[in-house]
Amino acid sequence: GVDLAELGEEVDVAGLVPGVMPVAVVESDGIHAEVLWSDRYGNVQLNVDPDELSRLAGANGSVQVRIGERVHTARRVTAFDEVSTGGLGLAVDSYGLVALVAARASAAAQLGVGPGDAVVLVADVERAGITTPVDVGRRPGVADGSDEPVDEGS
């Protein structure tokens, strides 16, 4: 029931432009993203499309998060409770974009980031598979592979 003039100055519709959101850039060294905002829980909204993250994270879902010289590891999650205590997760939020999240903590405070900060997401090749060093050679006390012990006294 209020007259529109009471709500403020009239705006010329021809002067309106859509909001512009920065777009993440996929380069050879990873996805160069930007922190858009953090919500009241400390979840860090990035300008990253979930499809870009899917190609980067691979089967194990692990991604390196580089902020300046600091490197953190985050894991792709579908729910907040999948993030381990003290760990970081990458979740698709209600906006359909990727957010850095922490378990019952503020990812923004943990990472020390705010709007406009640069973040690079990189494939975590170190965690892509489990490796175990193995030494190949003869067992001590076996001379020729016949499994007969060697008499080391002779």
Side-chain angles (χ1 to χ4, degrees), residues 68-128:
E69 297 298 315
R70 297 172 292 144
V71 178
H72 305 272
T73 299
R75 191 171 58 87
R76 178 104 190 240
V77 297
T78 56
F80 291 101
D81 66 347
E82 293 176 19
V83 181
S84 60
T85 303
L88 284 174
L90 287 159
V92 177
D93 65 11
S94 59
Y95 293 100
L97 296 173
V98 174
L100 281 162
V101 300
R104 292 173 283 294
S106 167
Q110 186 174 332
L111 298 171
V113 296
D117 286 346
V119 174
V120 181
L121 303 178
V122 181
D124 190 3
V125 293
E126 291 177 15
R127 298 182 193 276

Side-chain angles (χ1 to χ4, degrees), residues 4-12:
L4 288 178
E6 291 183 38
L7 297 177
E9 265 184 55
E10 187 173 338
V11 176
D12 181 11

Side-chain angles (χ1 to χ4, degrees), residues 1-73:
V2 176
D3 184 52
L4 288 178
E6 291 183 38
L7 297 177
E9 265 184 55
E10 187 173 338
V11 176
D12 181 11
V13 180
L16 296 177
V17 293
V20 178
M21 185 171 81
V23 177
V25 178
V26 179
E27 295 187 7
S28 61
D29 65 336
I31 299 172
H32 290 252
E34 183 177 317
V35 175
L36 298 175
W37 66 80
S38 61
D39 64 18
R40 65 185 179 143
Y41 303 105
N43 300 319
V44 178
Q45 175 68 57
L46 301 176
N47 61 332
V48 175
D49 183 283
D51 291 338
E52 292 171 334
L53 183 62
S54 294
R55 289 189 290 270
L56 184 67
N60 71 344
S62 187
V63 174
Q64 285 186 352
V65 179
R66 295 185 181 171
I67 303 165
E69 297 298 315
R70 297 172 292 144
V71 178
H72 305 272
T73 299

